[in-house]
Amino acid sequence: MIHVKTSVTRPSADVVRRLAKFSSATIHEAQGRRGALSSRIKPIDRSMHFCGPAVTVRCAPQDNLMLQVAIHYATAGDVVLVSAGEFGEAGTFGDVLGNAMAAKGIAAMVTDSGVRDTADLIELGLPVFSANVAIRGTVKETLGPINHPLVIGGEIVYPGDILRGDADGIVVVRRDEAEEVIALAQARVDAEDEQIRRYRAGGTTIELCNLTDKLKAKGLLVED
Amino acid sequence: MIHVKTSVTRPSADVVRRLAKFSSATIHEAQGRRGALSSRIKPIDRSMHFCGPAVTVRCAPQDNLMLQVAIHYATAGDVVLVSAGEFGEAGTFGDVLGNAMAAKGIAAMVTDSGVRDTADLIELGLPVFSANVAIRGTVKETLGPINHPLVIGGEIVYPGDILRGDADGIVVVRRDEAEEVIALAQARVDAEDEQIRRYRAGGTTIELCNLTDKLKAKGLLVED
Amino acid sequence: MIHVKTSVTRPSADVVRRLAKFSSATIHEAQGRRGALSSRIKPIDRSMHFCGPAVTVRCAPQDNLMLQVAIHYATAGDVVLVSAGEFGEAGTFGDVLGNAMAAKGIAAMVTDSGVRDTADLIELGLPVFSANVAIRGTVKETLGPINHPLVIGGEIVYPGDILRGDADGIVVVRRDEAEEVIALAQARVDAEDEQIRRYRAGGTTIELCNLTDKLKAKGLLVED
Amino acid sequence: MIHVKTSVTRPSADVVRRLAKFSSATIHEAQGRRGALSSRIKPIDRSMHFCGPAVTVRCAPQDNLMLQVAIHYATAGDVVLVSAGEFGEAGTFGDVLGNAMAAKGIAAMVTDSGVRDTADLIELGLPVFSANVAIRGTVKETLGPINHPLVIGGEIVYPGDILRGDADGIVVVRRDEAEEVIALAQARVDAEDEQIRRYRAGGTTIELCNLTDKLKAKGLLVED
Amino acid sequence: MIHVKTSVTRPSADVVRRLAKFSSATIHEAQGRRGALSSRIKPIDRSMHFCGPAVTVRCAPQDNLMLQVAIHYATAGDVVLVSAGEFGEAGTFGDVLGNAMAAKGIAAMVTDSGVRDTADLIELGLPVFSANVAIRGTVKETLGPINHPLVIGGEIVYPGDILRGDADGIVVVRRDEAEEVIALAQARVDAEDEQIRRYRAGGTTIELCNLTDKLKAKGLLVED
Amino acid sequence: MIHVKTSVTRPSADVVRRLAKFSSATIHEAQGRRGALSSRIKPIDRSMHFCGPAVTVRCAPQDNLMLQVAIHYATAGDVVLVSAGEFGEAGTFGDVLGNAMAAKGIAAMVTDSGVRDTADLIELGLPVFSANVAIRGTVKETLGPINHPLVIGGEIVYPGDILRGDADGIVVVRRDEAEEVIALAQARVDAEDEQIRRYRAGGTTIELCNLTDKLKAKGLLVED
């Protein structure tokens, strides 16, 4: 088996930049409520956000050898996405590799395991999303695949898919669907802005969510 | 079955205002260590706090139809309390409905499921307490009861009960016990302030917690 | 059985001060990846950190009698370490006892159960690390051991062991190994600073982690 | 506060006997999908089942004093229902109290904590439902309410409510709704038997679940 | 979007029959330690096992509409694989649909949610694997995809992939890899039988696992 | 660091045989409610039980190299006790190593991770206790300590300590306390047998648990 696939077809920088204007929740809705990674994966500081193509890595639990390898093959703007078997009780990533990533212009680090040196990482400014903060160290022993399709957080991610993360979580967009998603997301934002404007002007949920007929059809009983 | 009961007997604004001076933990103790909802339900920003009467809502998991309906029937100062089966992997609530609530002067939104658009909600200033932050969307399909007694976070809440939430969590106070709880809470705060004053003056736990006789009765053995 | 052992052999203040310069993760690595408590125990505010000798306490779940006793026997600079059976749904500790600790100059409070009055505790400035924030009260009924060896967070801690906590978690150092750990931690920090300097200068992980031979030996396959 | 209410209005033995013919799931459905306790509470052997009126008990975590008291006040046919704060790491109940219950003709023991001596309890033949099996012992220190309304497993149970448990879990039926539930449960069993008969005769789900119009209305798209 | 794809390319009955001779663990190892679904999904009785092609279904949490639809389109020998968002507190499946499946000769039912009527299902003899046993009912409201790729238990399953389940759990085999996996599994069984024979004859792990050189290379230190 | 300590001081076979007459719960109580391992570690079949001295092993998560080594150094009657970081999603142990153990007369296998081949292991008759059943394979890469003190299931176990396991769980007894524990356990069994005899003869809990004075002192209020 090939472990490392170095060739990844990435989206254009322009697509990434335009997709980055939308929140993870808006993108998730725009593409038909698909692509949300498990909510267990959170930013270590809620001001963190990112958008970029995925470099996918599978590590053994409590072993970050392949993460070290992946940083070598990642390029500026990439999001390094590491599944380590949902084992949270290990700091798969810390400030030394954080500096290695920042120096290369990596867009973000995402993992279903733990990270450490969080104070330094926050100061460094690299967006880091993880399922835990933990100080236990990792070994560097086990080979695994880089840039193969990766199941993480209950979703499948292909190398070059676009990941968007913010305070609410992370969503994955297939590369060839990105343009369509951008258009749908913009339409959704416009519609939501209009909804918010109407609520501020005194609109009600019954009216703005078009509930009257729906509730009647379902047989809602209201007691005055 | 009636789904929506529109008539809720609410406490007076004065009672709510006076109860709001005490922390959730103080109120919980003052009423005999009762009424604390599960600690899984937390504010999305720890500076958030609220006090107000409960409007109770039961949604199906990953379905927020009845929340939309409940906002219609809630009034200024109400706390909208939504149980959705403890299903955390869905954003039952976000910034559009947040604006609908804020426009009506709703006091807070509380749920045992997830919420999203947290950055916008924090900026909006609406207190939001939830068991999770998650971006997965919800359907609007299933009827459920509004303003019926609701079990949430391991406690039962009746419509019009007063909910008090802060950084530590949420406590429920029966409407007709509120005056008594206020008096007991004030007494407790006074006693605690006095305890703190004494500790700062050099008092010891053995002395201030009246432990000497108690420990003797229980047979504590100390080795010098 | 003796419940309270009052005699604890503590490390010197100088050792504590020198150990406090290193992060929990660095110390954990320096002593051979040992001593990390479970990541479930976190600071209630991530700016909190501490270093000091352990006073160990075992409470029954939802019962803080022995914590009250332990504060009496603790001295300035001590870390009060409380296991209460990993029961999180109780506020074992709050601002009144927090003031009692602060008045005595206690260095930190650590527990595998919950705490409350977190806003007041953060304002008080006492470092508090816990597995949960919860408002439910505790009884004061059950005797238990103070300053006996204590298993907490999956590690064993002996009275007088040095605990170091920060945003990443907590690590325990045996008192008689502290000098060696300080030396190893300093060496590790120096090596990491050098690594970071090299990454910033353009070094790669393959090179700086010495991966070339290792990956070859393990049979890594790369597809260009 | 009164701790023990000795007066419980129980359903008739006849109602209990007739309700006992239906499974927990059938009863739950028959009463409108209400009353199911959390699925964390399971029989210690899946052949166990019971039906009877609730005697409700609240214990402190890892403390079974009030269970000892409750057995005294329970009568033949009762189900002793014990909430101990969802603390599973304690054997709140074992074979000695099991024999005390069996000798009195108690119908079942149910708890959201743990039990122990399971081999002996299975041999004894007393139905025991719990959230865990655990060997840690309990203290006998803390008073709590008996025969007050009790929230357990996310549902509220009033003393004298009827509990029905089997391999699938436990459901609570309000005493004054029992006759209606029995009728609805019988109708449901009859309808399900007929459905099963039709499936065995070759019926399809589209036909027997009346899906054709429903799926059309919802816009199901099928690709041949 | 097409909801239901009716056309599934299934493996031959002969391939399924030959694969069924191997345990889930053996198959998982034979294909390079891939394809194991999360261990949360277990048989409701440990004697249950199955092998067959996947029909994939996505339901909303607490909603089994699409399961009803899927049974219609499934054929004899199929394994119906239902993801319902990992929501365990609902009985997505029970004995009525169990009879519908058994009547059609369905090979097994697998879900990441709950099931009920387990006593009847065990008597029926249909293999049922689930993440929970729960009695709460489901609505029938929400459309979702049938026979699209499905992420379940942390693995991706394509319609027509072969699922093998037994007491240890479930593994998925890609249809076009099945022949190779069968060959590798047979080789593994032969090797393991030989290992077991040697252990029974007095062989040691150091010898039979070829540990001598490996441990020397890693620097194992043994103290006599 | 020495990895493997081969010299373990074991209890006499006679002590093990006499201790084996008591249940895990009885032993736990007899030694003052100490020594119970976490209830997450269960037998794979509830008829399994064992008693014997501990051989302690620390593995990396999803890595069973040191277990292979430990079997080599274990002797007939030993209990092999393996902590692998509480990582459950891996089958650390299966039927091949099970046969290796059985051939050597090992008394039991205990781990805080997962095991597989459970049907074969049950047939083999080797007592196996684990935190999970899982099919994912393990690597054999990482060195770790054998016969050093081991924290597992929240307790510390020293090599040569006696472990007793049954359907309720596992308890550890210090080797030099075993004789005293046996005496105390026998006294407890005798007292419990007498209690059970009295309950069967109609005794009440108030009487047999000596509750009258205790409840009066605590202020129990009973409403007739």
Side-chain angles (χ1 to χ4, degrees):
Chain A
M1 188 184 107
I2 300 302
H3 295 99
V4 181
K5 295 190 179 175
T6 57
S7 166
V8 173
T9 308
R10 292 175 171 84
S12 72
D14 180 62
V15 159
V16 170
R17 187 185 51 75
R18 284 184 291 129
L19 192 64
K21 292 190 302 179
F22 304 105
S23 73
S24 61
T26 293
I27 292 169
H28 163 76
E29 288 282 346
Q31 62 184 358
R33 291 187 188 142
R34 290 180 298 126
L37 271 63
S38 167
S39 66
R40 285 190 296 266
I41 305 178
K42 301 281 193 211
I44 60 172
D45 181 273
R46 77 181 181 213
S47 70
M48 291 174 167
H49 56 90
F50 67 85
C51 191
V55 165
T56 65
V57 190
R58 183 167 290 282
C59 289
Q62 206 163 7
D63 187 328
N64 71 349
L65 175 62
M66 295 313 291
L67 170 57
Q68 292 181 336
V69 178
I71 295 171
H72 180 81
Y73 291 102
T75 62
D78 284 352
V79 175
V80 178
L81 184 68
V82 181
S83 172
E86 302 192 347
F87 182 69
E89 201 56 84
T92 298
F93 177 79
D95 70 333
V96 176
L97 292 181
N99 273 278
M101 281 195 180
K104 293 193 75 166
I106 301 296
M109 163 74 197
V110 177
T111 181
D112 63 359
S113 61
V115 299
R116 62 185 186 183
D117 304 330
T118 49
D120 291 330
L121 289 168
I122 291 169
E123 194 183 324
L124 181 66
L126 180 76
V128 175
F129 285 57
S130 70
N132 201 14
V133 172
I135 65 184
R136 288 217 170 99
T138 48
V139 298
K140 295 97 177 66
E141 295 283 357
T142 318
L143 295 185
I146 291 178
N147 288 326
H148 293 241
L150 182 73
V151 175
I152 179 170
E155 294 287 328
I156 189 159
V157 178
Y158 299 94
D161 279 354
I162 311 173
L163 294 169
R164 169 68 173 140
D166 56 24
D168 291 344
I170 298 172
V171 68
V172 57
V173 178
R174 302 289 173 236
R175 193 171 43 80
D176 59 2
E177 298 179 2
E179 282 292 355
E180 186 187 12
V181 171
I182 290 169
L184 290 165
Q186 186 60 56
R188 186 176 168 86
V189 165
D190 293 344
E192 287 196 347
D193 286 350
E194 176 62 14
Q195 286 278 89
I196 289 174
R197 197 193 56 72
R198 287 190 192 177
Y199 279 127
R200 289 180 177 166
T204 75
T205 49
I206 296 283
E207 168 198 357
L208 295 182
C209 301
N210 299 311
L211 296 180
T212 308
D213 289 354
K214 188 173 198 174
L215 294 173
K216 193 173 171 185
K218 287 180 182 290
L220 185 80
L221 296 180
V222 179
E223 185 180 68
D224 291 324
Chain B
M1 187 184 108
I2 301 301
H3 295 98
V4 181
K5 296 191 180 175
T6 58
S7 166
V8 173
T9 306
R10 291 176 172 83
S12 73
D14 180 63
V15 159
V16 169
R17 187 183 51 76
R18 284 184 291 129
L19 193 63
K21 291 190 304 179
F22 304 104
S23 74
S24 61
T26 293
I27 292 169
H28 163 77
E29 288 283 347
Q31 61 184 359
R33 289 186 189 144
R34 290 181 296 127
L37 271 64
S38 166
S39 65
R40 286 190 296 266
I41 305 178
K42 301 281 194 209
I44 60 172
D45 182 272
R46 77 180 180 213
S47 71
M48 291 174 167
H49 56 91
F50 67 84
C51 192
V55 166
T56 65
V57 190
R58 182 167 292 280
C59 290
Q62 205 161 10
D63 187 327
N64 71 349
L65 175 62
M66 295 313 291
L67 171 57
Q68 293 181 336
V69 177
I71 296 171
H72 180 81
Y73 290 103
T75 62
D78 284 353
V79 175
V80 178
L81 185 67
V82 181
S83 172
E86 302 193 346
F87 182 69
E89 201 54 86
T92 298
F93 177 80
D95 70 333
V96 176
L97 291 181
N99 273 279
M101 281 195 180
K104 294 193 73 165
I106 301 295
M109 163 74 195
V110 177
T111 181
D112 64 359
S113 60
V115 299
R116 61 186 187 183
D117 304 330
T118 49
D120 291 330
L121 288 168
I122 291 168
E123 195 183 323
L124 180 65
L126 179 76
V128 176
F129 285 59
S130 70
N132 201 13
V133 172
I135 65 183
R136 289 218 169 98
T138 49
V139 298
K140 294 96 177 67
E141 295 283 358
T142 318
L143 295 185
I146 291 178
N147 287 327
H148 293 241
L150 183 72
V151 175
I152 179 169
E155 294 288 327
I156 188 158
V157 178
Y158 299 93
D161 279 354
I162 312 174
L163 294 168
R164 170 68 173 138
D166 57 23
D168 290 344
I170 297 172
V171 68
V172 58
V173 178
R174 302 290 173 235
R175 193 172 43 81
D176 60 1
E177 298 179 2
E179 282 292 355
E180 186 187 14
V181 170
I182 290 169
L184 291 166
Q186 187 61 55
R188 185 174 169 87
V189 164
D190 294 343
E192 288 196 347
D193 286 351
E194 175 63 14
Q195 287 277 89
I196 289 174
R197 197 192 57 72
R198 287 188 192 177
Y199 280 128
R200 288 181 178 166
T204 75
T205 49
I206 295 283
E207 168 197 358
L208 295 182
C209 301
N210 299 312
L211 296 180
T212 307
D213 289 353
K214 189 174 199 174
L215 294 173
K216 194 173 171 186
K218 287 180 182 289
L220 186 80
L221 296 179
V222 179
E223 184 180 71
D224 292 322
Chain C
M1 187 183 109
I2 301 301
H3 295 99
V4 180
K5 295 190 179 175
T6 57
S7 167
V8 173
T9 306
R10 291 175 171 84
S12 72
D14 180 63
V15 159
V16 170
R17 186 183 52 75
R18 284 184 290 129
L19 193 64
K21 292 190 301 179
F22 304 105
S23 73
S24 61
T26 293
I27 291 169
H28 163 77
E29 288 282 347
Q31 62 185 357
R33 289 185 190 143
R34 291 180 297 126
L37 271 62
S38 166
S39 66
R40 286 190 297 265
I41 304 178
K42 300 283 194 209
I44 60 173
D45 181 272
R46 77 180 181 213
S47 71
M48 290 174 168
H49 56 90
F50 67 84
C51 192
V55 165
T56 65
V57 190
R58 182 167 291 282
C59 290
Q62 205 160 10
D63 187 327
N64 71 349
L65 175 62
M66 295 313 290
L67 171 56
Q68 292 181 336
V69 177
I71 295 171
H72 180 82
Y73 291 102
T75 62
D78 284 352
V79 175
V80 178
L81 184 67
V82 181
S83 172
E86 302 192 347
F87 182 69
E89 201 54 86
T92 298
F93 178 80
D95 68 333
V96 177
L97 292 181
N99 273 279
M101 281 194 181
K104 293 193 74 165
I106 302 296
M109 163 74 197
V110 178
T111 182
D112 64 359
S113 61
V115 299
R116 62 186 186 182
D117 304 329
T118 49
D120 291 329
L121 289 169
I122 291 169
E123 195 183 324
L124 181 65
L126 180 76
V128 176
F129 285 57
S130 69
N132 201 13
V133 173
I135 64 183
R136 289 218 169 99
T138 48
V139 297
K140 294 96 177 66
E141 294 285 356
T142 318
L143 295 185
I146 291 179
N147 287 326
H148 292 240
L150 183 73
V151 174
I152 179 170
E155 293 287 328
I156 188 159
V157 178
Y158 299 93
D161 278 355
I162 311 174
L163 294 168
R164 170 69 173 138
D166 56 23
D168 291 344
I170 298 172
V171 68
V172 57
V173 178
R174 302 289 172 235
R175 192 171 45 80
D176 60 1
E177 296 179 3
E179 282 294 353
E180 186 186 13
V181 170
I182 289 169
L184 291 165
Q186 187 60 57
R188 185 175 168 87
V189 164
D190 293 344
E192 288 197 346
D193 286 350
E194 176 62 15
Q195 286 278 89
I196 289 174
R197 196 192 58 71
R198 287 189 191 176
Y199 279 128
R200 289 181 177 166
T204 76
T205 49
I206 295 283
E207 170 198 357
L208 295 182
C209 301
N210 298 311
L211 296 180
T212 308
D213 290 353
K214 189 175 199 173
L215 295 173
K216 193 173 172 186
K218 288 180 181 288
L220 186 80
L221 296 179
V222 179
E223 185 180 70
D224 291 324
Chain D
M1 189 183 108
I2 301 301
H3 294 98
V4 180
K5 295 189 180 176
T6 57
S7 166
V8 173
T9 307
R10 292 177 171 81
S12 72
D14 180 62
V15 159
V16 170
R17 187 185 50 76
R18 284 183 291 127
L19 193 63
K21 291 190 301 178
F22 305 104
S23 74
S24 60
T26 293
I27 292 169
H28 163 77
E29 288 283 347
Q31 61 184 359
R33 289 186 190 142
R34 289 180 298 127
L37 271 63
S38 166
S39 65
R40 285 190 296 266
I41 305 177
K42 302 280 193 210
I44 60 172
D45 182 272
R46 77 182 182 211
S47 70
M48 290 174 167
H49 56 90
F50 67 85
C51 191
V55 166
T56 65
V57 190
R58 182 167 292 280
C59 290
Q62 204 160 10
D63 186 327
N64 71 348
L65 174 62
M66 296 311 293
L67 171 57
Q68 292 181 336
V69 178
I71 295 170
H72 180 82
Y73 291 102
T75 62
D78 285 350
V79 176
V80 178
L81 184 68
V82 181
S83 172
E86 302 192 346
F87 183 70
E89 199 56 83
T92 298
F93 177 80
D95 69 333
V96 177
L97 292 182
N99 273 279
M101 282 195 180
K104 293 193 74 164
I106 302 295
M109 162 74 196
V110 177
T111 182
D112 63 359
S113 59
V115 299
R116 61 186 187 184
D117 303 329
T118 49
D120 291 330
L121 288 169
I122 292 168
E123 194 183 324
L124 181 64
L126 179 75
V128 176
F129 284 58
S130 69
N132 202 14
V133 172
I135 64 182
R136 289 216 170 100
T138 48
V139 297
K140 294 96 177 67
E141 294 284 356
T142 317
L143 295 185
I146 291 178
N147 287 328
H148 293 240
L150 183 72
V151 175
I152 180 170
E155 293 288 327
I156 188 159
V157 177
Y158 299 93
D161 279 354
I162 311 173
L163 294 168
R164 170 68 172 139
D166 57 22
D168 291 343
I170 298 171
V171 69
V172 56
V173 178
R174 303 288 172 237
R175 193 172 43 81
D176 59 2
E177 297 179 3
E179 283 293 353
E180 186 186 13
V181 170
I182 289 168
L184 290 165
Q186 186 60 57
R188 185 175 169 88
V189 164
D190 293 344
E192 287 196 348
D193 286 351
E194 175 62 14
Q195 287 277 90
I196 289 173
R197 197 193 56 72
R198 288 189 191 176
Y199 280 127
R200 288 179 177 166
T204 76
T205 49
I206 295 282
E207 169 197 358
L208 295 182
C209 301
N210 298 311
L211 295 180
T212 307
D213 290 353
K214 187 174 200 172
L215 294 173
K216 193 174 172 185
K218 288 180 182 288
L220 186 81
L221 296 179
V222 179
E223 186 180 70
D224 290 326
Chain E
M1 187 183 110
I2 301 301
H3 294 98
V4 180
K5 296 190 180 176
T6 57
S7 166
V8 173
T9 307
R10 292 176 171 82
S12 72
D14 180 62
V15 159
V16 170
R17 187 185 51 74
R18 283 184 292 128
L19 193 63
K21 291 190 303 179
F22 305 104
S23 73
S24 61
T26 293
I27 291 169
H28 163 77
E29 288 283 346
Q31 62 185 358
R33 290 185 188 143
R34 289 181 298 127
L37 271 63
S38 166
S39 66
R40 286 190 296 266
I41 305 177
K42 301 281 193 212
I44 60 172
D45 181 273
R46 77 181 182 212
S47 71
M48 291 175 167
H49 56 91
F50 67 85
C51 192
V55 165
T56 66
V57 189
R58 182 168 291 279
C59 289
Q62 205 160 10
D63 186 329
N64 72 349
L65 175 62
M66 295 312 292
L67 171 57
Q68 292 181 336
V69 177
I71 295 170
H72 180 81
Y73 291 102
T75 62
D78 285 351
V79 176
V80 178
L81 184 67
V82 181
S83 171
E86 301 191 347
F87 183 69
E89 200 55 85
T92 298
F93 178 80
D95 70 332
V96 177
L97 293 181
N99 273 279
M101 282 195 179
K104 293 193 74 165
I106 301 295
M109 162 73 196
V110 177
T111 182
D112 63 0
S113 60
V115 299
R116 61 186 188 183
D117 304 329
T118 49
D120 291 330
L121 289 168
I122 291 169
E123 195 183 324
L124 182 65
L126 179 75
V128 176
F129 285 57
S130 69
N132 202 13
V133 172
I135 65 182
R136 290 219 169 98
T138 49
V139 298
K140 294 98 176 66
E141 295 283 357
T142 317
L143 296 184
I146 290 178
N147 287 328
H148 293 240
L150 183 73
V151 175
I152 180 170
E155 293 288 326
I156 189 159
V157 178
Y158 299 93
D161 279 354
I162 311 172
L163 294 168
R164 170 71 172 136
D166 57 22
D168 291 345
I170 299 172
V171 69
V172 56
V173 177
R174 302 288 173 236
R175 192 173 44 81
D176 60 1
E177 297 179 1
E179 283 292 354
E180 186 187 13
V181 170
I182 290 168
L184 290 165
Q186 187 60 56
R188 184 175 168 88
V189 164
D190 293 345
E192 288 196 347
D193 286 351
E194 176 63 14
Q195 287 276 90
I196 289 173
R197 196 192 56 72
R198 288 189 191 176
Y199 279 127
R200 290 180 176 166
T204 76
T205 49
I206 296 282
E207 167 197 1
L208 295 182
C209 302
N210 297 311
L211 296 180
T212 307
D213 290 353
K214 189 175 200 173
L215 295 172
K216 192 173 173 185
K218 289 181 181 287
L220 186 81
L221 297 179
V222 179
E223 186 180 70
D224 290 325
Chain F
M1 188 183 110
I2 300 301
H3 294 97
V4 181
K5 295 190 179 175
T6 58
S7 166
V8 173
T9 306
R10 291 175 172 83
S12 72
D14 179 62
V15 160
V16 170
R17 186 184 51 74
R18 283 183 291 129
L19 192 63
K21 292 189 302 178
F22 305 104
S23 74
S24 61
T26 293
I27 292 169
H28 163 77
E29 288 283 347
Q31 61 185 358
R33 291 186 188 143
R34 290 181 297 126
L37 271 63
S38 166
S39 66
R40 287 190 296 268
I41 305 177
K42 302 281 193 209
I44 61 172
D45 181 273
R46 76 181 181 212
S47 71
M48 290 174 167
H49 56 90
F50 67 85
C51 192
V55 165
T56 65
V57 189
R58 182 167 290 280
C59 289
Q62 205 160 11
D63 186 329
N64 72 348
L65 174 62
M66 295 312 292
L67 170 57
Q68 292 181 336
V69 177
I71 295 170
H72 180 83
Y73 291 102
T75 62
D78 284 351
V79 175
V80 178
L81 183 68
V82 181
S83 172
E86 301 192 348
F87 183 70
E89 200 55 86
T92 298
F93 177 80
D95 70 332
V96 177
L97 292 181
N99 273 279
M101 281 194 181
K104 292 192 75 164
I106 302 294
M109 162 73 196
V110 177
T111 181
D112 62 0
S113 60
V115 300
R116 62 187 187 184
D117 304 330
T118 49
D120 292 330
L121 288 168
I122 291 168
E123 194 183 325
L124 181 65
L126 179 75
V128 176
F129 285 58
S130 69
N132 202 14
V133 172
I135 65 182
R136 289 217 169 100
T138 48
V139 297
K140 294 97 177 67
E141 294 283 358
T142 318
L143 295 185
I146 291 178
N147 287 328
H148 293 240
L150 182 73
V151 175
I152 179 169
E155 293 288 328
I156 189 158
V157 178
Y158 299 92
D161 280 353
I162 311 173
L163 295 168
R164 169 68 173 138
D166 56 24
D168 291 343
I170 299 171
V171 69
V172 57
V173 177
R174 303 289 173 236
R175 191 172 45 80
D176 59 1
E177 298 179 2
E179 282 292 354
E180 186 187 12
V181 170
I182 289 169
L184 291 165
Q186 187 59 57
R188 185 175 168 87
V189 164
D190 293 344
E192 288 196 347
D193 286 350
E194 176 62 14
Q195 287 277 90
I196 290 174
R197 196 193 56 72
R198 287 189 191 177
Y199 280 127
R200 290 180 177 166
T204 75
T205 48
I206 295 283
E207 168 198 359
L208 294 182
C209 301
N210 298 311
L211 295 181
T212 308
D213 290 352
K214 189 174 199 174
L215 295 173
K216 192 173 173 186
K218 288 179 182 289
L220 187 80
L221 296 180
V222 179
E223 186 179 70
D224 289 325

